[in-house]
Structures are given as structure tokens and as C-alpha cells.
Amino acid sequence: MHKAAPGIQILAWIGVPVQLTTSEGEVIPNRLENGAIRATIAEFARQMVEEIGFDGIHLNAEFITAGNQAFIDTLQVIREVLPDKAILSTTAHALPPTTRITIAPIGLDRENQSTQYLQQIARNSDQVALMAYDSGLFFPSDYRAWVTHQVKTASEEIEGIDTQFLIGLPTSEEFTASHRTNTENLSNAIYGLQQGLADNPFYANIDGIAIYPYWETDEHEWTLIDSIN
């Protein structure tokens, strides 16, 4: 990739399940509280950059509850071992609305994020992708309003923080309780994104979008992406 497209920065995606049930039935609610696990993640991140040649890493740890200090500690340990120029990227959960923005109630409990915690994540990483999907909403209009809220609120809350901020948009074809494909699709997400950027004094804090998953993004969706302005 570096030879074929030297202008593209390539990140190693590292997925970390935070909650775990062992084979003996023990429930571990937060594996990141274990310093040895944090060190293992950090060492693997270092290897991906220094030995394999990635330009940085993207940490996708789920699920993270608001105020989870162990996750912040994990970001800091990774930063300590990465080269200065390496990119430390991570995901963040969507923000809970503070006022009624949808016709139906919000589909899922969103206490796993707060504006203050989002700021903390942003201060400890070079890039943040806010996952504006898995809302659990039924109606397309509700999802569009929800994405608009994510863009407007996040762009204001990260004002003054030096990080690259992306809005994660869905192209997933998997129908689940949290992701109804007739509601959470790229067309509705882009509409919400554009509404969130319009007449927004903090719009410049949004640096771009992150598509998930790229392997399910079809030709029509790539055309929609190209139409974003």
C-alpha cells in the first residue's frame, strides 16, 4: 500500500472486547482495568507500527461506559510506546440527547457516553471516530434527527481540542435490534450529517467521515459519498 498509494496513511485496526465471560463462567466487566492487558495492547500497537510498518493504530474497544478511566489509561499507555509521528486513533460511542429530538423514545440506553468523557477521549488521541449508528431507532426521520444531534453537539464540545474528528456513518447490511437497515442507512446518515453541519458555527471541527464497514459499501453508496459537500 505504501508503494501503490504513498499519500494514504494506513492504520492497524485493533479490536478489544472490554467485557468477557471466561470458560469457567467468570464475568469480567472491564478487562482494561488489568494493567497487564493494557500493556499487551500497547505492545501489540507498537509492533504494528515499528515492526510491520503501519502509520498508526485504530483502537476499537467496546463497550466503553462514560467515565471509564481504564480506557483513558489504555490510550495513554499506547501513546507512550508509539513513535511520536504515529497516529493514535480510536472510536467513541454516540452522545445521549439531552432534549427530546425524536418522535419515538431513543431505542437504546446511551449512558455509555457523555460530552465530558468524549472530550477526555479526544484529548488523549490523534483521531476520534464517533460511531453515529446502532441507535436502535425505528423511524428514518428519527435517525436523521439523531445524527444531526451527534454532529452539532460533538462539533461544539470538541472546540479547542487538537484532534482529528470523524463522524462514523453506516453501510452495514446486517439487520439487528440496534441497527435497522431501513432506518440506519447511508442516505439517512448523510442527510443528518449535512443538517448538522448547516448553520453550525463549529462545523470546521468535523474533519470528515468514517464509513463502516467498507466491505459492504456498494457502488450506489460510494456515489452518495462522492456527492457529500
Side-chain angles (χ1 to χ4, degrees):
M1 279 296 296
H2 281 145
K3 291 179 180 178
I8 294 178
Q9 293 176 307
I10 309 165
L11 307 184
W13 183 93
I14 301 176
V16 176
V18 176
Q19 294 79 28
L20 180 70
T21 300
T22 69
S23 57
E24 291 78 23
E26 178 189 2
V27 177
I28 303 176
N30 188 357
R31 297 172 63 234
L32 298 181
E33 290 180 340
N34 186 326
I37 289 179
R38 295 198 299 271
T40 298
I41 296 169
E43 172 59 17
F44 184 72
R46 184 201 64 78
Q47 292 175 359
M48 292 301 100
V49 174
E50 294 190 338
E51 299 177 20
I52 306 301
F54 285 96
D55 298 301
I57 67 101
H58 176 78
L59 179 66
N60 178 218
E62 297 189 52
F63 292 96
I64 300 294
T65 55
N68 186 337
Q69 183 58 43
F71 178 60
I72 302 301
D73 293 342
T74 303
L75 292 174
Q76 292 173 345
V77 170
I78 294 173
R79 181 74 275 171
E80 288 173 1
V81 302
L82 288 182
D84 291 341
K85 293 184 178 180
I87 299 167
L88 172 53
S89 173
T90 191
T91 50
H93 295 303
L95 294 163
T98 54
T99 59
R100 185 69 176 267
I101 62 171
T102 59
I103 299 171
I106 298 299
L108 295 177
D109 178 14
R110 284 293 171 184
E111 295 304 316
N112 57 351
Q113 186 57 284
S114 70
T115 54
Q116 294 81 6
Y117 192 56
L118 178 63
Q119 291 169 348
Q120 197 174 2
I121 293 172
R123 290 190 182 100
N124 284 278
S125 55
D126 303 310
Q127 182 187 81
V128 179
L130 183 77
M131 296 182 287
Y133 41 81
D134 287 332
S135 66
L137 292 167
F138 286 92
F139 303 122
S141 60
D142 278 354
Y143 178 60
R144 292 193 291 266
W146 186 79
V147 173
T148 297
H149 168 79
Q150 300 301 321
V151 175
K152 285 189 172 181
T153 305
S155 62
E156 181 176 359
E157 293 299 330
I158 63 167
E159 173 71 12
I161 300 177
D162 184 19
T163 192
Q164 185 182 60
F165 200 85
L166 309 176
I167 301 296
L169 305 181
T171 59
S172 174
E173 299 298 332
E174 182 182 13
F175 191 99
T176 67
S178 64
H179 174 72
R180 294 171 171 82
T181 52
N182 59 313
T183 294
E184 282 196 8
N185 54 54
L186 185 62
S187 178
N188 286 329
I190 289 175
Y191 181 93
L193 170 74
Q194 292 175 325
Q195 290 295 108
L197 295 174
D199 299 321
N200 180 353
F202 304 99
Y203 77 94
N205 292 332
I206 305 299
D207 295 289
I209 61 173
I211 300 300
Y212 179 82
Y214 82 89
W215 59 87
E216 290 186 1
T217 306
D218 60 29
E219 184 176 350
H220 171 67
E221 288 167 329
W222 283 120
T223 301
L224 285 176
I225 294 168
D226 289 339
S227 70
I228 297 175
N229 53 45

